[in-house]
Amino acid sequence: MSQPYYLQGNAFNIRLNSVIGWLARRGVSLLGTAELSVRGRRSGQMQRIPVNPHTHEGAQYLVSARGHSQWVRNMRVAGGGELRVGRRIRAFTATEIADDARKALILRAYLERWGWEVNQYFQGITAKSTDAELLAACPDHPVFRIAVEG
């Protein structure tokens, strides 16, 4: 059995994510970015990473452009986390989207909005890809629907 797709960031990407996360903690959101905090499945400590929350048909989603990353594995165990921009912290529960047809619609919309930033992680898939190509990419890119608590 092959390993699930995951594209680890290079040194530049890791440094850039640190800066974007630092800005989000201070209230500066770049085009809608936020800092995700999710409890580590082994350490129990909150892990932080910048994300691009995406709204599609009135619901909010988190898409893992890099594939089955650590935050995805943690989210599957924790079932939720927090999104932060400055002092505004929104706790949420998360449900992973299992239906690839539904996920493909969300991925297409996500790529239309964020493709300029994330296309490089989708192995040639873009918002203009065919439905069949998007469906084929679905297993590589976990998507979570998030519901803000309270």
Side-chain angles (χ1 to χ4, degrees):
M1 186 172 164
S2 66
Q3 292 290 325
Y5 173 74
Y6 171 60
L7 181 62
Q8 186 168 350
N10 60 33
F12 175 76
N13 295 137
I14 292 168
R15 181 69 182 136
L16 184 60
N17 275 349
S18 295
V19 170
I20 294 169
W22 183 86
L23 289 169
R25 284 190 301 281
R26 280 145 187 84
V28 179
S29 174
L30 303 176
L31 301 172
T33 60
E35 184 179 66
L36 167 67
S37 294
V38 61
R39 189 159 310 281
R41 64 195 182 284
R42 293 186 198 147
S43 70
Q45 302 297 312
M46 293 301 271
Q47 306 297 313
R48 302 183 313 206
I49 187 165
V51 293
N52 300 321
H54 178 66
T55 302
H56 177 70
E57 295 181 350
Q60 197 161 39
Y61 298 90
L62 294 177
V63 174
S64 182
R66 292 181 176 272
H68 296 264
S69 62
Q70 294 300 316
W71 78 256
V72 167
R73 295 170 184 167
N74 291 335
M75 187 68 68
R76 287 174 175 149
V77 173
E82 297 175 341
L83 289 175
R84 176 182 183 153
V85 177
R87 294 182 182 175
R88 184 175 180 221
I89 300 172
R90 299 179 294 149
F92 65 87
T93 57
T95 305
E96 189 166 4
I97 304 300
D99 176 23
D100 282 349
R102 175 94 177 113
K103 192 191 294 188
L105 295 172
I106 297 163
L107 287 179
R108 185 179 303 282
Y110 179 81
L111 289 168
E112 286 171 355
R113 170 71 172 97
W114 294 104
W116 62 272
E117 180 184 353
V118 301
N119 274 347
Q120 62 189 329
Y121 309 128
F122 278 81
Q123 306 172 92
I125 302 299
T126 69
K128 295 180 180 179
S129 294
T130 67
D131 291 344
E133 290 169 333
L134 276 167
L135 277 170
C138 283
D140 291 338
H141 300 283
V143 175
F144 295 86
R145 181 177 178 163
I146 62 173
V148 177
E149 299 172 350

